[in-house]
Amino acid sequence: MPKKRSGGGLSPTQQAAKFLGVSVLAGAVLAGIALPAFGALGLVAKGSVESFDELPVNLKSPPLSQRTTILDSEGGQIATVYSRDRTVVDLKNISPFMQKAIVAIEDSRFYEHGAVDLKGVLRALNKNVQSSGVAQGASTLTQQLVKNVAIEEAGDDPTKVAQATQQTIGRKIKELKYAIQLEEELSKKKILENYLNITFFGEQAYGVEAASQRYFSTHAKSLTLPQAALLAGIVQSPSRYDPVNDEAEATKRRNTVLARMAEVGDISEAEAAVAQKAPLGLNVKKPKNGCITAVQGASFFCKYVERVFLSDPVFGKTKEQRAKIWNQGGLTVRTTLEPQAQKSVQSSLKDHVYKSDKVAGAATLVEPGTGKILGMGQSKPYGYGKNETEYNYSVGSSMGGSNFGFPTGSTFKPFVAAAALEEGRPPNQEYSSPYQMPYPSPVQTCGSKPWVNTNGEKLENESESEKGPFQLRKAMELSVNTYFVQMISDIGLCPVVKMTDALHVVQGNGDKLPEVPAIALGSKGISPLTMATAYAAFASRGMYCTPIAIESITQKIGDQKKSLEVPKSTCSRAMSEKTADTVNTLLSGVVDSGTGKQAGLDGRDNAGKTGTTDSRKNAWFVGYTPKLSGAVWVGSATQKVEMTNIWIGGHFHDQVYGGDTPGPIWRDAMTGALEGKDSGQFNIVSIPNPPDKNRDKGNGGASQDDGGNGDHGGFLTGLLTNGGNSNGGNSTAGDGGGFFQGQSNGNGNGGRRG
């Protein structure tokens, strides 16, 4: 039968080439197939055969690309991805009808001849001479297998695909030589099995198992006679005989196959007649490929797993090697994603931020002490349509995220505190913390040249009523900007850099953070995953563990399975246990009575920090229990939307703060993820808490009832309610804050108090 490419018949040039090829092959066969000598007849000079005796070692068991299955930590399927939708099966799991049908229509003398069918060649040659063209081909199933292997190895490279299918004498001779090799080393049954697993059946289905699922929603071993005949007929021209798009043409082709099966004695004439009258009986299952099909909103995590594979040297020294393994597929990837945690993350985001909102939300949960990513989601679904995105807001740009991450605001302040504690500053360290001040200058850096405030830049606190002196506990609870900038001036920038390096805190584009005092205010973009893993080090008493997403990978190649090495989390001490315990104590106060009251968990030890940036383009809450850490970001992915007078998740906000939108998302995500589980206890340390000097000055009030002057305590709140005497917790305008909320600290430093 003429072997046509998908899309129709052969061109005149191809017909002539094939006619010539068949003639040459006939001559070669009649000459006794002394092919090494035959190959010397000018073929090498024409560039047709580079090394006639070189045979690819993988023809015995072609490395067929297959679908890859991505699983969660409990073995549930997240998604399937593939470059070729194929599932390799043994011949015993392929219907006998299918085996007979493909042999009958493609190579009826398959079990009688060797690599080349001499009678077939002569018959084709005679027919072609009579027709002055190519009426018949003489390609055996073994030769077709060789060509399909070449196409498979070419992958998606159009140049290599063209070379694998070019109609030249050299390629046909080379194909025949390889076919001889296969016939010598493989049984007929193995050759047939390989052919049925490699060939293309149209509609994105490679191999008979995928085709059976695609057209009939059944397995290859269950194919009936009419079904098998239909699939066998498709192979010659998958587009022309596509039953989904042209049922009439496909029916004619199926009936031709049935007639041929009867002619060669595989079935009776009566059986063929009955099968020819049967309807096609299609039960089409649309292919589901890629992370876009992932369950529980795990599409972005799925893409993250793919990026990890393609970028980590553990899977191959070069990008090309890793891509080849991934595209070859046949992988079962068991990930760290915990179904309960993922469901909770996605449910919380859906409840609090609508996909149609002007802003987006993203959340990531990480396990302290292991680095395992347990949940990752965002409010805008994965996709390319309206209110969809392909960008993963939880990760850095190299892993498919935003170019620079998002400014973190005051969620950066715990890193400054940890650095100071490591430098020996006491947990009740006090600074004057005025409402407004110039950036201190000079400030020592890691180099010999200090940072100098050459432009006279200033910063201020959220409210004019907010002025010190403050100690660390109160400064952290109220998120006092001037306090933490003074702390950096005191200890220098290098200890902060050392701490962020130990916590692997980098900008979203992978660059190190700049050595400037404004770093204390979270002026630079960082990803939620980076923040969640950094805060996890506080939860695990100072041990930082790199994030991991993959637990194990099994690769199937032919009949063999093997385990692949996967990246391991690397844990290292980032700070002393005492420092971590002190930070945990400080941040517990934030959720108990500070700016993060709306995020606090009931009945569990928990800690965290709020953050809101200039112009309210970003709002954060990063928090943790001893056994789970999470970061939530809400904001403008383009950094063009200011979250004032805005609807988010069906609720109107005069001004958004870290505590009133990201905070509740974090609370609900953590609550669901931890339901039924022990979340552990912190090692709380004693921090001296002297009498509050500021209560009578209207500077923020005592922590038990000053909700109005927390992370979001506003300028008018402080003036009109005398700070701590306000019962801002009853307000609905913010996260426990007064009705009138604060102004920006200006200066373009990214860090509001919230």
Side-chain angles (χ1 to χ4, degrees):
M1 290 292 177
K3 180 72 175 175
K4 299 181 181 178
R5 297 186 64 190
S6 175
L10 302 174
S11 68
T13 302
Q14 290 174 321
Q15 290 177 346
K18 188 163 188 179
F19 172 70
L20 179 58
V22 170
S23 302
V24 171
L25 287 177
V29 172
L30 292 173
I33 319 184
L35 287 180
F38 186 81
L41 300 178
L43 294 178
V44 174
K46 296 178 182 179
S48 302
V49 181
E50 292 180 2
S51 180
F52 197 74
D53 292 326
E54 288 185 4
L55 296 172
V57 296
N58 55 13
L59 281 178
K60 290 183 181 179
S61 181
L64 305 183
S65 60
Q66 303 181 67
R67 69 179 65 186
T68 285
T69 303
I70 300 178
L71 308 175
D72 60 34
S73 63
E74 297 179 0
Q77 182 173 302
I78 296 173
T80 58
V81 298
Y82 49 80
S83 60
R84 300 279 192 274
D85 183 12
R86 175 189 284 120
T87 300
V88 176
V89 292
D90 296 333
L91 194 64
K92 65 183 180 181
N93 290 321
I94 300 175
S95 165
F97 290 129
M98 186 68 218
Q99 298 178 43
K100 292 177 181 179
I102 200 70
V103 169
I105 196 65
E106 290 293 322
D107 186 3
S108 61
R109 288 173 33 80
F110 174 65
Y111 293 104
E112 301 171 30
H113 60 67
V116 63
D117 181 6
L118 178 57
K119 289 184 178 180
V121 170
L122 295 176
R123 183 181 65 249
L125 181 60
N126 182 53
K127 288 278 189 181
N128 294 339
V129 169
Q130 292 176 0
S131 65
S132 298
V134 179
Q136 278 193 14
S139 183
T140 65
L141 277 181
T142 310
Q143 289 172 277
Q144 292 180 40
L145 172 58
V146 170
K147 184 170 72 172
N148 275 299
V149 169
I151 294 172
E152 183 75 18
E153 290 181 335
D156 297 323
D157 187 325
T159 302
K160 292 182 179 180
V161 171
Q163 292 172 349
T165 58
Q166 60 184 338
Q167 296 294 323
T168 64
I169 299 173
R171 188 191 68 77
K172 297 297 290 186
I173 295 294
K174 188 175 183 180
E175 178 184 286
L176 178 55
K177 177 62 176 177
Y178 289 163
I180 293 171
Q181 174 79 7
L182 286 183
E183 289 278 352
E184 289 176 349
E185 299 186 356
L186 299 180
S187 68
K188 287 287 189 179
K189 286 187 175 181
K190 189 63 178 178
I191 291 172
L192 180 59
E193 177 187 293
N194 286 351
Y195 178 80
L196 286 170
N197 277 308
I198 198 173
T199 197
F200 180 51
F201 287 87
E203 293 287 338
Q204 301 180 38
Y206 289 80
V208 66
E209 176 66 18
S212 301
Q213 292 287 342
R214 176 72 176 106
Y215 295 109
F216 302 113
S217 298
T218 191
H219 293 291
K221 64 181 178 180
S222 302
L223 289 170
T224 65
L225 174 58
Q227 290 172 337
L230 177 70
L231 295 186
I234 290 174
V235 171
Q236 188 187 82
S237 181
S239 60
R240 177 179 176 183
Y241 301 126
D242 182 355
V244 175
N245 295 312
D246 195 336
E247 187 171 334
E249 191 71 14
T251 301
K252 286 172 57 179
R253 178 62 177 168
R254 180 201 66 176
N255 291 346
T256 298
V257 175
L258 290 167
R260 181 60 176 162
M261 291 178 73
E263 183 181 341
V264 299
D266 287 332
I267 58 175
S268 67
E269 295 286 351
E271 288 174 318
V274 171
Q276 286 172 337
K277 293 179 182 179
L280 291 185
L282 297 179
N283 184 10
V284 178
K285 180 186 291 183
K286 291 188 177 182
K288 291 185 176 180
N289 175 34
C291 291
I292 197 170
T293 65
V295 299
Q296 293 292 355
S299 295
F300 296 101
F301 177 78
C302 174
K303 290 299 291 184
Y304 178 78
V305 169
E306 180 180 337
R307 292 268 188 165
V308 168
F309 191 99
L310 294 175
S311 63
D312 199 305
V314 74
F315 297 114
K317 293 182 179 180
T318 67
K319 180 180 179 181
E320 290 73 22
Q321 289 175 333
R322 297 189 293 269
K324 184 175 182 180
I325 296 173
W326 183 261
N327 290 332
Q328 182 179 320
L331 308 174
T332 300
V333 183
R334 192 158 186 145
T335 71
T336 60
L337 197 74
E338 188 181 83
Q340 180 178 332
Q342 178 63 23
K343 181 179 179 181
S344 184
V345 164
Q346 204 59 35
S347 177
S348 181
L349 285 164
K350 184 177 180 180
D351 288 345
H352 291 283
V353 186
Y354 296 160
K355 66 179 183 180
S356 58
D357 286 342
K358 293 180 179 179
V359 294
T364 298
L365 301 183
V366 174
E367 184 175 68
T370 68
K372 293 179 180 179
I373 302 172
L374 304 185
M376 178 183 287
Q378 60 194 55
S379 61
K380 293 190 182 298
Y382 183 88
Y384 309 97
K386 184 179 180 181
N387 297 320
E388 296 177 338
T389 182
E390 60 182 308
Y391 291 103
N392 184 348
Y393 300 143
S394 289
V395 301
S397 59
S398 67
M399 303 304 286
S402 66
N403 289 337
F404 303 104
F406 305 107
T408 59
S410 296
T411 58
F412 194 91
K413 289 172 181 173
F415 304 145
V416 179
L421 292 168
E422 285 287 281
E423 288 295 299
R425 299 301 185 273
N428 59 355
Q429 175 72 46
E430 184 175 280
Y431 295 108
S432 60
S433 314
Y435 161 65
Q436 186 183 74
M437 60 179 285
Y439 276 97
S441 180
V443 179
Q444 186 59 49
T445 65
C446 292
S448 58
K449 187 177 181 180
W451 180 87
V452 178
N453 187 2
T454 56
N455 297 323
E457 295 181 50
K458 296 181 179 180
L459 74 153
E460 59 190 29
N461 296 326
E462 186 78 11
S463 155
E464 288 189 25
S465 64
E466 189 178 276
K467 52 189 177 183
F470 286 112
Q471 294 190 353
L472 180 55
R473 178 193 290 248
K474 179 62 65 175
M476 187 70 77
E477 289 178 6
L478 301 181
S479 201
V480 180
N481 290 336
T482 57
Y483 179 94
F484 287 94
V485 170
Q486 284 185 309
M487 177 171 272
I488 278 188
S489 176
D490 179 12
I491 65 174
L493 284 161
C494 205
V496 179
V497 170
K498 181 180 177 181
M499 178 58 62
T500 55
D501 284 349
L503 294 173
H504 294 234
V505 176
V506 295
Q507 296 182 67
N509 61 1
D511 290 349
K512 290 191 63 171
L513 297 166
E515 293 185 48
V516 294
I519 194 175
L521 309 181
S523 57
K524 293 300 179 181
I526 301 173
S527 75
L529 176 59
T530 298
M531 294 299 290
T533 52
Y535 271 52
F538 298 140
S540 59
R541 304 192 71 194
M543 292 298 294
Y544 173 85
C545 297
T546 56
I548 56 169
I550 300 174
E551 293 267 27
S552 65
I553 298 181
T554 301
Q555 183 182 33
K556 182 180 180 183
I557 302 178
D559 299 331
Q560 304 299 315
K561 288 185 178 181
K562 68 175 183 178
S563 295
L564 300 185
E565 184 181 354
V566 299
K568 304 295 183 184
S569 179
T570 302
C571 298
S572 57
R573 179 155 295 284
M575 68 195 77
S576 69
E577 288 188 352
K578 181 179 179 181
T579 292
D581 291 344
T582 303
V583 173
N584 296 340
T585 303
L586 293 168
L587 297 186
S588 294
V590 173
V591 296
D592 285 342
S593 53
T595 61
K597 288 174 65 174
Q598 283 184 275
L601 304 179
D602 295 330
R604 298 182 186 273
D605 281 9
N606 65 115
K609 185 70 185 75
T610 55
T612 311
T613 65
D614 274 349
S615 302
R616 286 179 163 74
K617 294 177 180 176
N618 306 275
W620 288 76
F621 188 86
V622 188
Y624 53 94
T625 69
K627 295 186 178 181
L628 187 62
S629 176
V632 177
W633 164 83
V634 174
S636 166
T638 62
Q639 296 293 283
K640 294 180 180 179
V641 179
E642 298 183 4
M643 292 185 289
T644 57
N645 298 318
I646 190 172
W647 289 87
I648 302 176
H651 296 280
F652 181 77
H653 298 264
D654 291 328
Q655 295 177 322
V656 168
Y657 292 89
D660 71 353
T661 302
I665 294 173
W666 180 89
R667 178 196 63 215
D668 293 351
M670 294 284 286
T671 298
L674 292 169
E675 185 176 358
K677 301 177 181 180
D678 174 30
S679 57
Q681 293 182 323
F682 291 132
N683 293 277
I684 299 298
V685 300
S686 176
I687 299 177
N689 190 17
D692 190 347
K693 304 175 183 178
N694 300 316
R695 172 174 288 279
D696 296 332
K697 299 179 182 180
N699 290 333
S703 62
Q704 297 302 315
D705 62 353
D706 70 343
N709 207 23
D711 177 52
H712 50 278
F715 170 72
L716 291 177
T717 300
L719 290 180
L720 299 179
T721 63
N722 195 29
N725 295 324
S726 167
N727 187 15
N730 294 325
S731 169
T732 60
D735 60 300
F739 181 79
F740 295 97
Q741 312 238 325
Q743 61 191 16
S744 168
N745 69 349
N747 300 321
N749 297 318
R752 278 188 162 282
R753 186 161 58 111

